[in-house]
Amino acid sequence: MSKKVVLAFSGGLDTSYCAKYLSETLGYEVHAVTINTGGFDKNDEVLLKEKAEKLGVASYRFIDASEKYYNDCVKYLIFGNVLKNNTYPLSVSAERTIQAQTIAEAALEIAADAIAHGSTGAGNDQVRFDLIFNVMCPKIEIITPIRDLSLSREDEIQFLKDHNYEMDFDKAKYSINKGLWGTSVGGKETLTSRFSLPEDAFPSQVEKTEPSSLEIEFKNGELISVNGETFSHPVFAIQKIEELASPYGIGRDIHVGDTIVGIKGRVGFEAAAASIIIKAHHLLEKHTLSKYQQTIKSQLSDWYGNWLHEALFLDPVMRNIESFLQDSQKIVNGKIFITLHPYRFVLNGIESENDLMSSKFGSYGEENLAWSGDDVKGFTKILSNSLNIYHQVNKLN
């Protein structure tokens, strides 16, 4: 009997190549599995099943892990206001971990001999998938045809054509990874340091030009409503914000970063909901958290984002940081008022019962109700004392 391989299947060029290559060249019984982390709808599910069957797989499964993705990961990216290099909301980095875990579980369920994925040998995803598989199912072989054969996209396209498989190869010139927390876009332009992606490379096109208002509400740091509408799970609130904001082309950028394997890389992305939610949540925290809560949280959040990006999600320190982040959200409650414009958004202000900028304690730059001017004079003398001693001893100007 043929050996069984579970293929992480997205329906794109790389995994379509893998499906054909694994069965027709290597002779495996291919069981394709798609893990939905918020980027696919019911129509996509049908189309993916058709693609997989057209490629001749032995079986196909579509597993919805959107809520698991939010519960285990996205929630903490919001709590931490995580933006890699102050730019990238870790759209793909985060979802790969959940996808790999779910693929590993699927492989164990059917006692697969191997797991395959479509990662190249130059990016981060190869490490993210391999590391999870090595931890969760270390006895199962890992097969990576694109990496192992050092294939170009042109090589893959020609192979599929030679094996009588047709798809939109022009669209396949760009690598698109869509998920709950954003969509990455890679192509010939992102292989350079000079060029930006063309407008039509982005899945969402700019369709709205007139400004519109958006109101979102958090309770204990989690989204509970959008424009007054409540949702059974924050996943649906995120998708609602994406629906309202993506027609403006909000959240587009190119991330430049250091890969796990030690080279610089560029990737385009659009993440309307993630961009708005992170900035809105951060603004609410500025009003509700203490100065030192924000300071420590910022440092831990940077570590959390970096370690998640570099495939270390399963390290127990991540659970420790998540505990801190969760505890920090107890008073992050309130509404944020936003205006959407083409390619940008404006945070107009917040309302919160936990707002520390309360008028009953004074108004910044105008008056205060807690101390006198003489109190400040004495405080300033004490605060400056150590500096005075230093400068007098060292006779510095």
Side-chain angles (χ1 to χ4, degrees), residues 34 36-51 60-67 178 236 239:
T34 299
N36 180 26
T37 45
F40 299 124
D41 57 25
K42 288 294 182 183
N43 185 55
D44 293 322
E45 182 178 351
V46 172
L47 292 175
L48 284 164
K49 186 174 188 294
E50 291 175 354
K51 282 185 178 182
Y60 175 75
R61 289 180 66 190
F62 182 92
I63 301 173
D64 191 345
S66 301
E67 292 189 14
K178 185 178 181 181
F236 305 113
Q239 290 173 335

Side-chain angles (χ1 to χ4, degrees), residues 182-221:
T183 300
S184 70
V185 183
K188 62 181 181 180
E189 294 85 2
T190 58
L191 298 176
T192 73
S193 300
R194 167 67 180 83
F195 298 104
S196 62
L197 288 162
E199 184 79 12
D200 60 6
F202 292 96
S204 297
Q205 296 296 293
V206 177
E207 300 169 349
K208 292 188 177 180
T209 56
E210 293 299 315
S212 64
S213 297
L214 175 66
E215 175 192 304
I216 62 177
E217 184 175 4
F218 292 91
K219 183 174 178 60
N220 303 134

Side-chain angles (χ1 to χ4, degrees), residues 247-262:
Y248 286 97
I250 288 170
R252 292 182 180 182
D253 208 338
I254 291 183
H255 166 59
V256 181
D258 299 283
T259 65
I260 305 167
V261 293

Side-chain angles (χ1 to χ4, degrees), residues 231-302:
F231 301 86
S232 60
H233 193 277
V235 162
F236 305 113
I238 294 169
Q239 290 173 335
K240 182 64 176 181
I241 294 171
E242 185 72 24
E243 175 190 324
L244 295 171
S246 63
Y248 286 97
I250 288 170
R252 292 182 180 182
D253 208 338
I254 291 183
H255 166 59
V256 181
D258 299 283
T259 65
I260 305 167
V261 293
I263 59 176
K264 293 285 185 181
R266 288 177 93 217
V267 64
F269 66 91
E270 58 174 27
S275 300
I276 290 170
I277 292 166
I278 287 173
K279 291 298 184 181
H281 178 267
H282 190 202
L283 176 61
L284 185 59
E285 284 194 330
K286 290 178 184 178
H287 282 265
T288 57
L289 296 186
S290 75
K291 174 168 64 175
Y292 297 115
Q293 279 181 302
Q294 292 179 73
T295 299
I296 296 300
K297 202 170 76 63
S298 176
Q299 295 172 24
L300 287 176
S301 297
D302 278 346

Side-chain angles (χ1 to χ4, degrees), residues 87-366:
T87 304
Y88 182 45
L90 296 181
S91 306
V92 173
S93 318
E95 68 183 16
R96 289 295 185 254
T97 293
I98 303 303
Q99 290 169 344
Q101 287 177 292
T102 312
I103 289 289
E105 291 166 357
L108 290 168
E109 282 177 21
I110 68 166
D113 300 285
I115 298 179
H117 58 89
S119 301
T120 70
N124 294 313
D125 285 346
Q126 58 180 328
V127 180
R128 294 174 184 137
F129 279 114
D130 283 10
L131 189 146
I132 294 292
F133 298 155
N134 283 326
V135 172
M136 292 186 64
C137 45
K139 295 182 180 180
I140 297 180
E141 180 186 4
I142 301 170
I143 304 174
T144 54
I146 312 301
R147 173 175 64 184
D148 298 342
L149 300 172
S150 300
L151 298 174
S152 68
R153 297 185 75 77
E154 290 73 20
D155 293 332
E156 297 172 55
I157 289 170
Q158 190 59 53
F159 177 87
L160 288 171
K161 286 181 177 179
D162 290 345
H163 286 76
N164 302 313
Y165 180 76
E166 292 296 327
M167 60 185 292
D168 187 346
F169 290 118
D170 286 333
K171 187 177 181 181
K173 291 178 181 177
Y174 290 96
S175 176
I176 309 291
N177 292 282
K178 185 178 181 181
L180 177 70
W181 208 229
T183 300
S184 70
V185 183
K188 62 181 181 180
E189 294 85 2
T190 58
L191 298 176
T192 73
S193 300
R194 167 67 180 83
F195 298 104
S196 62
L197 288 162
E199 184 79 12
D200 60 6
F202 292 96
S204 297
Q205 296 296 293
V206 177
E207 300 169 349
K208 292 188 177 180
T209 56
E210 293 299 315
S212 64
S213 297
L214 175 66
E215 175 192 304
I216 62 177
E217 184 175 4
F218 292 91
K219 183 174 178 60
N220 303 134
E222 294 197 64
L223 274 170
I224 61 169
S225 76
V226 179
N227 289 341
E229 181 182 356
T230 58
F231 301 86
S232 60
H233 193 277
V235 162
F236 305 113
I238 294 169
Q239 290 173 335
K240 182 64 176 181
I241 294 171
E242 185 72 24
E243 175 190 324
L244 295 171
S246 63
Y248 286 97
I250 288 170
R252 292 182 180 182
D253 208 338
I254 291 183
H255 166 59
V256 181
D258 299 283
T259 65
I260 305 167
V261 293
I263 59 176
K264 293 285 185 181
R266 288 177 93 217
V267 64
F269 66 91
E270 58 174 27
S275 300
I276 290 170
I277 292 166
I278 287 173
K279 291 298 184 181
H281 178 267
H282 190 202
L283 176 61
L284 185 59
E285 284 194 330
K286 290 178 184 178
H287 282 265
T288 57
L289 296 186
S290 75
K291 174 168 64 175
Y292 297 115
Q293 279 181 302
Q294 292 179 73
T295 299
I296 296 300
K297 202 170 76 63
S298 176
Q299 295 172 24
L300 287 176
S301 297
D302 278 346
W303 283 114
Y304 188 84
N306 287 336
W307 285 330
L308 175 62
H309 180 266
E310 299 196 352
L312 297 176
F313 181 77
L314 294 182
D315 192 293
V317 74
M318 299 292 275
R319 310 293 82 76
N320 301 142
I321 297 175
E322 287 165 1
S323 295
F324 175 89
L325 293 175
Q326 182 80 56
D327 187 73
S328 73
Q329 299 301 295
K330 291 177 179 177
I331 54 172
V332 183
N333 307 308
K335 297 178 179 178
I336 301 88
F337 303 96
I338 304 158
T339 303
L340 306 179
H341 299 270
Y343 302 107
R344 66 186 179 90
F345 61 94
V346 178
L347 302 176
N348 299 309
I350 69 109
E351 284 182 359
S352 172
E353 61 184 11
N354 303 106
D355 189 358
L356 299 178
M357 190 176 161
S358 173
S359 60
K360 64 184 178 183
F361 299 109
S363 299
Y364 177 71
E366 297 293 333

